[in-house]
Amino acid sequence: MTPSIACPVKCRPHPRLAPQPPAPSLELLAARGAPAAGELRASRSPPYLSLSRSADSFESRAPCRGSASARRARAAVALGGDGQSAALIAGAQSRHAIFSDELVRRAFAAAEAAHRGQVRASGDPYLQHCVETAALLAELGAFPAVVAAGLLHDTVDDAGLSYGFISEHFGAGVADLVKGVSKLSHLSKLARRNDTASRIDEADRLRIIFLAMEDARAVLIKLADRLHNMRTLDSLPKNKQQSFAKETLEIFAPLANQLGILNWKEQLENLCFKYLCPDKFDELSTSLTEFHNRDMIAAATRRLEQALQVRGLSYYAIYGRHKSLYSIYSKMARKKLAMDEIYDIHGVRVILENKADCFAALEIIHHLWPRIPGKFKDYINSPKPNRYQSLHTVVLTEETLPLEIQIRTRDMHLQAEFGIAAHWRYKEVAARSCCTSVSEMVEWVRWVITWHCQTLNTDHPSSLARDASSKETHTIPSHSDACLLSYSKQCDHKGPVLVILLENEKMSVQEIPQHWTIVDLLNRSSNSGMPLRLRLNCHVVHNWNQELKMGDVLELIPSTPCKCRGYTREFHQKFDQCLAVSQS
C-alpha cells in the first residue's frame, strides 16, 4: 500500500469569520492515502454486446418488473424497508447526514431489497458497494438525487429493476442518472474486451465520448463506482486485477483529472500502480518512507506560520503534503531521475482568503528561503485545462532539501480537490440553487469537450494529444446562456466528431469529419458491402443519410446468418425483440 506519511496540519480560524463548524471541504485538506482492501463484485451483467439501452428498451423487459428483486424493492419503497435495512441506513447516516434525506432513505431501502442475497467475491453483501459508492459522492457534497442514484446505480444491470420502476418511485432525474451509469458501464466492459486502453489515441477519444454522451453527474457516479471497485480489487484473480487497473489508468484516472477531481485521480493512479507494477510499488513505497523528512516539513510550517502572523496576513490553513507515489514514479521514469532529484516530493500548502494575499504570501516565502530558479509556476493567472489554480514555488530549506510550496485561496482549493463537483461545495459558502450548480457543471463539461476537440483539430489533425494537460497556458472560453443546459452534442466546435462503432463483435472509437452521415461511415467500414441492420443510440435506423453527432453509438449487425458466439446471438435476439416493439 502507499506509505502513510503523517504531515503536521496546523490551522487557525480566520479572524473575520464568525464561529461556525468547519466546512466539510476543509476536513479533506490533509492528503489522504488510497486504501486497497476488500473485494470487487463478480460481474453479473449479461454477456451480449448491448452497450446502452433506451428507456423504451428498459420498459420492454417485462420479466424484470415481475422479478423477485423488483417486488422486494417495490415493497421496500412502500414500507420503508425492514429492520435489517434500518440498521444499514443508520450506519450510513452516522457517516454522512445526507443519508437522512427522505429520497436517499427510500433509495437505500430499494437498493437493499433489490440486492438482497447478492454477495461480492469475498462474500460481503453486494449492498456494501452501493453504499460506499454513494458515500464517495456524499463526500463531494452531492445533492440527494445524485446520492440516491449512486445507491441505485447497479439495480438495473445486476438486480433487474426497470427504468420505469426507478422513474416512478424516484423521479425521471434519478432514473436518467442510473440509466446513464448503465450505458457507461457497458461501454467500459466493451473497452476492456477490446483492450481499448492499449490504444492511446482511442482511449483519449473514449474519455471525450464519456463526457459527451451523458450527464456529467452520471460520469461522477461511474468514477465513484470505479474508485471503490479499485479499492476493493484484492478478491479478483490477478489477470482481472490487471485488466481493471490498465483500463482505469488509461481511461478513468485521466477522466478524473479532466474533471479536476485530483484527489480521486491520485487514488486511482496509486491503486493502478499497485496492481500493475507491484514490485516497483513496494520498492518505491519503502524508499519514500525512508526519504521523506517529516521534521523538515514541521519546521518549515512553523516558520511560515510565524512569518504570516508577523505580517498580519490571515490564512485558513497551512499543512504539509507529499507527492503521490505514482506521480513520483512517473516523473522518475519520464525524466530518468533519482528520487532525490525530484523537487516536489516534500511540500507545504497554504490556504488564504484572496488572490492578493496569495501573492503577498509568495513574497514572504521568497524572503524566508532562497528560491530555486525555474521552479515557479503561476497557475492563478494561467489555469490548467481542468481549471486548477495555484501558485507553485520551490525553495531550498535549511536542510538543503527542496521544498515545494503551493499557495491558493479557499475557492481554488475547493476547485482543486473537487473539480467539477466544487459547484456542489460552493453552496456551503454562498447559497446557490441546485439548478444553478447543475448549469455550471454542464458548462464545465461542455468546455472540456470543446477544448479537447479544438486541440484535436488544430494541433493533432488525426488524433488527440497524449497529454493535453501538459500545455501551460489556456484561455477558458465562455458560452452563451442559451446553451447552458445543453450538452456537447448541441454545441458548436471546429474539431472532428467522435462516435463509437460496433461491428464484428468489436468496438472502435471513430474520428470523423463534421456533417458525415451514416452512409459515409459505412463506406469506410470493412462491412460496407454487406447487408446490414443498424441501430443508432439503441434506435432502429431508417434514414441512413442522417448526420452523426458527437457521442453517437452506431451498431452494425449483419443481416445474413453467421456463426456467432453465444453472447452475440443473444444480442441479436434482443435487437429483433426491440425492432418488433418499435414497429408495433
Side-chain angles (χ1 to χ4, degrees), residues 379-390:
Y379 293 121
I380 289 181
N381 291 315
S382 299
K384 290 185 178 182
N386 59 11
R387 296 189 175 184
Y388 173 88
Q389 289 184 290
S390 187

Side-chain angles (χ1 to χ4, degrees), residues 163 166-178:
Y163 173 90
I166 298 174
S167 180
E168 175 187 352
H169 292 280
F170 302 100
V174 173
D176 287 341
L177 289 175
V178 174

Side-chain angles (χ1 to χ4, degrees), residues 419-436:
I420 187 174
H423 297 299
W424 288 329
R425 285 282 170 175
Y426 284 138
K427 69 181 186 294
E428 300 162 2
V429 181
R432 294 192 178 194
S433 68
C434 173
C435 181
T436 301

Side-chain angles (χ1 to χ4, degrees), residues 121-135:
S122 65
D124 287 341
Y126 192 98
L127 182 65
Q128 180 177 344
H129 167 68
C130 303
V131 172
E132 294 302 325
T133 298

Side-chain angles (χ1 to χ4, degrees), residues 519-536:
V519 171
D520 294 325
L521 182 57
L522 291 179
N523 288 337
R524 193 170 75 178
S525 166
S526 60
N527 286 336
S528 58
M530 296 177 58
L532 296 171
R533 298 177 295 175
L534 304 181
R535 291 206 308 176
L536 181 64

Side-chain angles (χ1 to χ4, degrees), residues 339-360:
M339 182 174 288
D340 58 4
E341 295 177 295
I342 298 179
Y343 288 158
D344 56 350
I345 287 181
H346 298 93
V348 169
R349 185 171 288 150
V350 187
I351 313 293
L352 298 121
E353 183 179 12
N354 55 52
K355 185 188 297 187
D357 288 349
C358 290
F359 286 94

Side-chain angles (χ1 to χ4, degrees), residues 33-302:
E39 308 73 32
L40 181 71
R41 70 177 186 269
S43 176
R44 295 181 177 83
S45 297
Y48 49 86
L49 279 175
S50 175
L51 63 114
S52 59
R53 294 188 291 266
S54 66
D56 293 336
S57 63
F58 280 129
E59 293 291 353
S60 68
R61 298 176 63 194
C64 294
R65 289 186 59 87
S67 66
S69 59
R71 290 194 298 270
R72 285 197 303 268
R74 190 178 297 275
V77 171
L79 300 176
D82 56 16
Q84 182 181 8
S85 66
L88 291 170
I89 191 67
Q93 289 168 344
S94 67
R95 298 163 58 190
H96 300 286
I98 198 167
F99 281 93
S100 297
D101 180 87
E102 189 269 339
L103 178 68
V104 175
R105 286 191 290 107
R106 288 193 294 110
F108 184 97
E112 189 277 333
H115 292 299
R116 192 175 299 164
Q118 295 180 352
V119 295
R120 288 163 52 94
S122 65
D124 287 341
Y126 192 98
L127 182 65
Q128 180 177 344
H129 167 68
C130 303
V131 172
E132 294 302 325
T133 298
L136 284 168
L137 296 165
E139 285 182 9
L140 291 183
F143 293 117
V146 178
V147 176
L151 287 166
L152 297 166
H153 77 275
D154 275 335
T155 55
V156 169
D157 291 334
D158 294 334
L161 296 191
S162 69
Y163 173 90
F165 173 87
I166 298 174
S167 180
E168 175 187 352
H169 292 280
F170 302 100
V174 173
D176 287 341
L177 289 175
V178 174
K179 184 177 71 172
V181 176
S182 177
K183 290 180 182 179
L184 296 175
S185 295
H186 284 290
L187 277 179
S188 173
K189 291 172 187 175
L190 287 171
R192 284 197 303 277
R193 182 181 296 150
N194 288 274
D195 198 20
T196 301
S198 295
R199 299 184 295 277
I200 302 303
D201 290 342
E202 195 162 329
D204 289 339
R205 298 185 192 118
L206 185 62
R207 289 196 302 273
I208 296 179
I209 285 182
F210 273 20
L211 294 172
M213 69 183 299
E214 288 305 328
D215 186 324
R217 296 167 297 172
V219 178
L220 288 178
I221 296 170
K222 184 59 190 174
L223 279 173
D225 166 73
R226 177 51 61 98
L227 176 55
H228 182 253
N229 278 339
M230 285 301 302
R231 285 179 176 180
T232 59
L233 205 59
D234 286 346
S235 292
L236 288 188
K238 185 176 180 179
N239 64 326
K240 289 190 176 181
Q241 290 177 353
Q242 294 192 338
S243 175
F244 271 93
K246 184 177 181 180
E247 181 201 20
T248 300
L249 186 63
E250 295 297 337
I251 295 176
F252 288 100
L255 186 59
N257 181 57
Q258 287 173 328
L259 295 179
I261 312 176
L262 301 188
N263 181 274
W264 285 11
K265 171 210 175 232
E266 289 185 354
Q267 290 189 55
L268 289 169
E269 287 178 339
N270 285 342
L271 288 164
C272 293
F273 183 29
K274 171 187 173 182
Y275 288 105
L276 291 174
C277 306
D279 294 338
K280 292 180 181 178
F281 179 90
D282 292 338
E283 178 185 350
L284 195 59
S285 297
T286 301
S287 300
L288 181 58
T289 302
E290 296 172 352
F291 179 76
H292 196 267
N293 191 326
R294 301 179 184 178
D295 294 336
M296 184 266 282
I297 294 288
T301 301
R302 287 193 299 269

